[in-house]
Amino acid sequence: MMIWKPNVTVAAVIEQNGKYLLVEEEPEPGTGLFLNQPAGHLDPGESILQGTIRETLEETAYTFVPEFLLGIYQWHSQRVDMTYLRFAFVGRVTEHDPQRTLDHGIARADWFDLQEIERRIDRHRSPLVMRCIQDHQAGKRYPLEVLTHYDA
């Protein structure tokens, strides 16, 4: 019997002065650049919040402070026949290290206004990019206390 497991990912939705912090990344060589929130896979042993902070730093060189859970999203990518379970967080950034080398595959991290993001919807990494922004704009916020990291 085959055991099915979704890929657990974390994402940071960061808005500042009407712009969102996104990354331009090339997920596979030759595919071109796609827009995404700072996001990635949860590493073994880390909490969901730790993973979000780490991924944001690695992909943007910004220190992320999660303030709310935005939502939990399940998406099945037909292209790679894989299901993702994304935990998205709203928060703010504090420090920025412009000298820091960004993760492999990340071309740049920058601030994009809503019109730029909508114009480039055909280059979003997944439909979750726009959905998370829409949920953010709709004011969805859940307290971080809904999460429990239990490490016996």
Side-chain angles (χ1 to χ4, degrees), residues 1-5 81:
M1 180 173 134
M2 186 172 147
I3 297 176
W4 173 83
K5 292 181 182 179
D81 192 26

Side-chain angles (χ1 to χ4, degrees), residues 60-115:
T60 69
Y62 281 95
T63 301
F64 177 62
V65 179
E67 296 173 325
F68 298 98
L69 173 68
L70 177 66
I72 302 169
Y73 304 83
Q74 182 177 334
W75 174 62
H76 182 81
S77 169
Q78 298 292 332
R79 187 179 64 77
V80 293
D81 192 26
M82 198 170 293
T83 299
Y84 296 92
L85 190 60
R86 174 189 258 207
F87 291 80
F89 295 90
V90 174
R92 60 189 164 81
V93 289
T94 56
E95 301 170 36
H96 182 243
D97 178 3
Q99 303 306 313
R100 183 182 176 92
T101 301
L102 302 181
D103 257 2
H104 177 74
I106 304 293
R108 71 182 179 122
D110 207 350
W111 299 91
F112 295 83
D113 66 32
L114 189 57
Q115 292 74 27

Side-chain angles (χ1 to χ4, degrees), residues 14-26:
I14 306 158
E15 183 270 333
Q16 191 171 283
N17 301 319
K19 293 187 175 192
Y20 287 89
L21 181 60
L22 299 177
V23 297
E24 284 189 311
E25 61 184 346
E26 188 170 30

Side-chain angles (χ1 to χ4, degrees), residues 122-137:
D122 62 321
R123 298 306 294 174
H124 288 191
R125 176 86 186 257
S126 81
L128 299 181
V129 174
M130 198 68 223
R131 177 58 191 266
C132 286
I133 290 172
Q134 291 166 339
D135 286 353
H136 177 265
Q137 292 196 325

Side-chain angles (χ1 to χ4, degrees), residues 41-61:
H41 293 271
L42 191 64
D43 281 353
E46 71 183 351
S47 73
I48 293 168
L49 288 175
Q50 289 168 338
T52 310
I53 293 165
R54 175 188 52 76
E55 283 289 349
T56 303
L57 181 62
E58 290 175 354
E59 293 192 356
T60 69

